[in-house]
Amino acid sequence: MAPSGPRPALPALLVLLAALLPGPGDAQTSVSPQVVILPRGGSVLVNCSSSCDQSPFLGLETPLTKREVLPGGNNWKMFELSNVQEDSQPICFSNCGGRQSTAKTFLTVYWTPERVELAPLPAWQPVGENLTLRCQVEGGAPRANLTVVLLRGEEELSRQPVPQLGEPAEVTVTVLAGRNDHGANFSCRTELDLRSQGLELFENISAPHQLQTFVLPETPPQLLGPWVLEVDTQGTVVCSLDGLFPVSEAQVHLALGDQKLNHTITYGFDSLSAKASVKGTAEEEGTQRLFCAVILGNQSQETRKTVTVYSFPVPKVILSEPEVSEGTEVIVKCEAHPRAMVMLNGVPAQTLGPRAQLRLKARPEDDGRNFSCSATLEVAGQVVHKNQTRELRVLYGPQLDEKDCPRNWTWPENSQQTPTCQAWGNPSPQLKCLKDGTLALPIGKSVTVTRDLAGTYLCRATSTRGEVTCEVTVNVVNLPSPQYVMVIIALVVTAAVLGTAGIAIYLYNRQRKIRKYRLQQAQNGTPMKPITQATPP
Ligand SMILES: *[C@@H]1O[C@H](CO)[C@@H](O)[C@H](O)[C@H]1NC(C)=O
Ligand SMILES: *[C@@H]1O[C@H](CO)[C@@H](O)[C@H](O)[C@H]1NC(C)=O
Ligand SMILES: *[C@@H]1O[C@H](CO)[C@@H](O)[C@H](O)[C@H]1NC(C)=O
Ligand SMILES: *[C@@H]1O[C@H](CO)[C@@H](O)[C@H](O)[C@H]1NC(C)=O
Ligand SMILES: *[C@@H]1O[C@H](CO)[C@@H](O)[C@H](O)[C@H]1NC(C)=O
Ligand SMILES: *[C@@H]1O[C@H](CO)[C@@H](O)[C@H](O)[C@H]1NC(C)=O
Ligand SMILES: *[C@@H]1O[C@H](CO)[C@@H](O)[C@H](O)[C@H]1NC(C)=O
Ligand SMILES: *[C@@H]1O[C@H](CO)[C@@H](O)[C@H](O)[C@H]1NC(C)=O
Ligand SMILES: *[C@@H]1O[C@H](CO)[C@@H](O)[C@H](O)[C@H]1NC(C)=O
Ligand SMILES: *[C@@H]1O[C@H](CO)[C@@H](O)[C@H](O)[C@H]1NC(C)=O
């Protein structure tokens, strides 16, 4: 090759000019149309012509399927190019007088993408985290005129050209997920804009994907429940959490040990509360794990607590005999759970523990006396109580005490009275008070006292344990009748009124005489003097 420099370049440039510029007498090749845009797989007619006067040799150089459309003209030929799959530049050539000239036509193939797809979204997207939307576009040409639009519903989030390279081509956009994105449909759309080429705007849209966003706070749920639970009793467990979105999608899992609890959920505006009842069973005795999880989206918040399931039978009060005769010795025992502490009638056992006892000689006062055994047990730091009470029956009597059956009644005639007499004993004695062996004293009933009621009655209390008797006397006294008393009161009042009136009249008359005397002195011309001096000596 020639050494480098501007000089050797000159001949090459001249050759190029000779080829491009028509020299005098030089024939030229032309092609029509020079620029074609056609759909993929389409056909086009290309007219190659020459300015040559003589019959030129015309041809079209292309790898495409071509067919000459007959008849052509003297200096032109028509070719049909079919099934054009991609961009191509066929070259028309003509030979005129041993000289060849060429002309290029530019074929641009267009087609809409074969696949437009939004990559699957996460099933659940936490609010406040970035979400990347990916749109994949397969095919489509010309890429220079192909745009991808990412959409939330109808709203355009981003508009980007499709990269020239890459199959499928991917366009991404990152959005910050919010609460209002919950339930929103995301999609992407391609736009092949060929309007400047006299064609239209071709749009293809992907299938929509619905997004679910959620908020699950960082705090664990609050778990309330019984921390000690007696076997065969029920307790209520409540698990709650605030600040959830969307609260209706939140789920709760509640379990005691391996046993799933059946709960009911109450929803608030952004909170929920799950309630379940737990039952202690004998198999679960000991410490059990109470577990609550609130599940939202693909996350969960959990709380664990321990529940102690215990059994604590009621302490027993054992009476050596529940029913004894007066004077018998009775042993009262109190027995409870081996780990419990008992108190019998409020008195702790001498050796602190689950047993206590006391002895007593049964007295009538002990009939109906209650013996109570109360036990306390410590379970997981909590003290639980239980008690049992039994009643002692003492057989005694019958008894007729003067306190409850007075021996002497003195009642005014015609007054209302209720004779009372109470006989004591277990079993309850029968009581009858009779005068002359036939007339009964109406015990416990209100009666009008008459002379007939007076007399001495023999009261007899009878039970299976024997009988006792006493005498009760009723005295009836004659007091003035109420009408008589009223007449006396009326007379006394009248006398008092008359007496008072007499004194009043006397005083009035005396006063009047004094006034008259003073008036006379004034008329006699004597000057007015104090009354004391005016009084005559
Ligand atoms: C092809 O081109 C030539 C030269 O421009 C013209 O004379 C001829 O009519 C064209 N043929 C057709 C079929 O249009
Ligand atoms: C793309 O849209 C065009 C019309 O704009 C349609 O003819 C073509 O079938 C669509 N392509 C796909 C893959 O849906
Ligand atoms: C929840 O889903 C997100 C997005 O799909 C993921 O990044 C995260 O690791 C998931 N979290 C859990 C606990 O599975
Ligand atoms: C989300 O992405 C933007 C940039 O796209 C970044 O500035 C922001 O810090 C990201 N936010 C989170 C929470 O990751
Ligand atoms: C299509 O692409 C061509 C070539 O890059 C460009 O000249 C033309 O302006 C584009 N048309 C549109 C509508 O973008
Ligand atoms: C999203 O699409 C689903 C069905 O594809 C429809 O039921 C729902 O209403 C749409 N959501 C919105 C916000 O348009
Ligand atoms: C849970 O509750 C439902 C209805 O209240 C009841 O039909 C079902 O038997 C319960 N399941 C258990 C394990 O208790
Ligand atoms: C003993 O208990 C019974 C029932 O618990 C009660 O009716 C009775 O009055 C009690 N006796 C005493 C003396 O407190
Ligand atoms: C005994 O138990 C009953 C019921 O369990 C309770 O109401 C009562 O207060 C208890 N008595 C004592 C003294 O603890
Ligand atoms: C009963 O009472 C009356 C008057 O109160 C008295 O005079 C009489 O002596 C009493 N009788 C007896 C037996 O105590």
Side-chain angles (χ1 to χ4, degrees), residues 408-410 473 475:
N408 193 3
W409 303 97
T410 300
T473 307
N475 307 297

Side-chain angles (χ1 to χ4, degrees), residues 30 32 47-50 71 73 75-78:
S30 54
S32 162
N47 185 350
C48 285
S49 55
S50 171
N75 57 347
W76 59 270
K77 263 186 189 168
M78 192 72 113

Side-chain angles (χ1 to χ4, degrees), residues 112-115 202-204:
T112 57
E114 285 166 328
R115 188 170 68 88
F202 300 95
E203 291 185 341
N204 288 86

